[in-house]
């Protein structure tokens, strides 16, 4: 079997639907007994970014939820970040510590508003773009 380069693999992932990519990640996790939770959002966001750029110029139907500050209740904010994403404890803590950082990217208006409300409820400063 010929070894595929990183570019070849990325080209294959680029052609996959989000459902196919999700199924691949699950199969990969089972095969190698690993968790790809931190990598999965990056792969999904990277794959969707190409086609979404043209659509965003026409009509704003995708929003980013940016955490701009953790406030006084940092632990509560970390818990909410973990609920909203598939990040582990360390990754969620790093995200909260490194503000401003995006929590969710390219989500619909309703999901962005719910996420922003949950984060604000935990005491965080949030911006929706």
């Amino acid at each position: 079997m010929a070894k595929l380069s990183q570019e070849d693999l990325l080209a294959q992932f680029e052609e996959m639907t989000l459902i196919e990519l999700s199924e691949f990640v699950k199969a990969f996790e089972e095969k190698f007994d690993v968790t790809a939770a931190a990598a999965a959002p990056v792969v999904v966001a990277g794959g969707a970014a190409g086609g979404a750029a043209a659509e965003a110029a026409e009509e704003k139907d995708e929003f980013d939820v940016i955490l701009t500050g953790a406030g006084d209740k940092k632990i509560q904010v970390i818990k909410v970040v973990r609920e909203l994403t598939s990040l582990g404890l360390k990754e969620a803590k790093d995200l909260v510590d490194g503000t401003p950082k995006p929590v969710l990217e390219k989500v619909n208006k309703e999901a962005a508003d719910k996420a922003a409300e949950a984060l604000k409820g935990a005491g965080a400063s949030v911006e929706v773009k």
Side-chain angles (χ1 to χ4, degrees):
M1 181 173 167
K3 185 174 179 179
L4 295 175
S5 71
Q6 189 174 16
E7 290 80 24
D8 293 337
L9 285 171
L10 289 173
Q12 290 298 316
F13 289 136
E14 203 170 53
E15 295 175 10
M16 297 173 90
T17 65
L18 291 177
I19 292 172
E20 292 170 332
L21 188 58
S22 174
E23 291 170 354
F24 170 78
V25 169
K26 287 177 187 173
F28 186 90
E29 289 174 335
E30 290 173 12
K31 171 84 174 173
F32 297 105
D33 194 28
V34 296
T35 302
V42 174
V43 173
V44 170
E55 292 176 14
E58 294 175 11
E59 182 180 325
K60 184 75 172 176
D61 60 351
E62 293 181 337
F63 298 86
D64 295 341
V65 179
I66 312 293
L67 180 66
T68 57
D72 294 336
K73 301 177 182 176
K74 185 173 158 183
I75 293 172
Q76 294 298 338
V77 174
I78 292 170
K79 288 180 181 179
V80 173
V81 167
R82 291 191 69 203
E83 290 172 12
L84 295 172
T85 65
S86 59
L87 296 176
L89 180 59
K90 181 183 181 331
E91 291 84 5
K93 181 183 179 303
D94 291 345
L95 187 144
V96 172
D97 288 341
T99 57
K101 290 250 179 156
V103 176
L104 296 174
E105 295 179 315
K106 306 208 184 317
V107 295
N108 64 30
K109 177 74 171 156
E110 184 179 325
D113 289 342
K114 284 183 181 179
E117 186 176 314
L119 287 164
K120 286 178 184 175
S125 302
V126 182
E127 186 177 309
V128 177
K129 291 186 178 184

